[in-house]
Amino acid sequence: MSRRTTSRRASATTPRLNRCLALEDPRRTSDGAGGFLEAWQLLGHHWCEMRALSGRSTDQSGTSLSLQRYRITLRAHPTGSPARPRPDQRLRDGARIFRIDAVAEGDPDGRYLTCFATEETTA
């Protein structure tokens, strides 16, 4: 196999980490009336590759919602590390919010993670 063929094959499987997304963790605090308030704490930033998957529209409480699913790839972090995304967290790009639904190993070598996320927007 030539060097040219090898480099093409490697680049086809290597993600383009060209979007910087903020990883946020939910923090619940008491509201003093038996309930709680939810705030989001910044844990750090990740360079990611985003690929759109399926999307759909739905009505929720009389409001039309657009749900777009994404496959977001980022560099892997060890299990238990605060930098490793979890399904109860979210990724943010400015005003856009991507709720993390699942996290999986992105490649057999464990170099990348894949987050399956949903963005909700009102139509």
Side-chain angles (χ1 to χ4, degrees), residues 23-27 40 43 81-91 98-101 103:
L23 178 63
E24 297 179 334
D25 191 46
R27 298 291 179 198
W40 291 89
L43 296 179
S81 167
R84 186 182 176 104
R86 295 188 323 263
D88 63 331
Q89 296 174 332
R90 69 185 189 183
L91 292 162
F98 306 92
R99 184 186 73 240
I100 300 172
D101 299 318
V103 179

Side-chain angles (χ1 to χ4, degrees), residues 58-118:
T58 185
D59 285 331
Q60 190 174 47
S61 303
T63 303
S64 181
L65 273 180
S66 172
L67 302 172
Q68 177 64 50
R69 296 189 64 234
Y70 288 90
R71 177 189 315 256
I72 302 173
T73 304
L74 59 134
R75 292 196 188 281
H77 293 275
T79 302
S81 167
R84 186 182 176 104
R86 295 188 323 263
D88 63 331
Q89 296 174 332
R90 69 185 189 183
L91 292 162
R92 178 188 286 270
D93 182 13
R96 296 178 69 188
I97 295 171
F98 306 92
R99 184 186 73 240
I100 300 172
D101 299 318
V103 179
E105 298 295 326
D107 66 323
D109 297 327
R111 294 177 298 159
Y112 299 99
L113 293 174
T114 300
C115 296
F116 296 93
T118 304

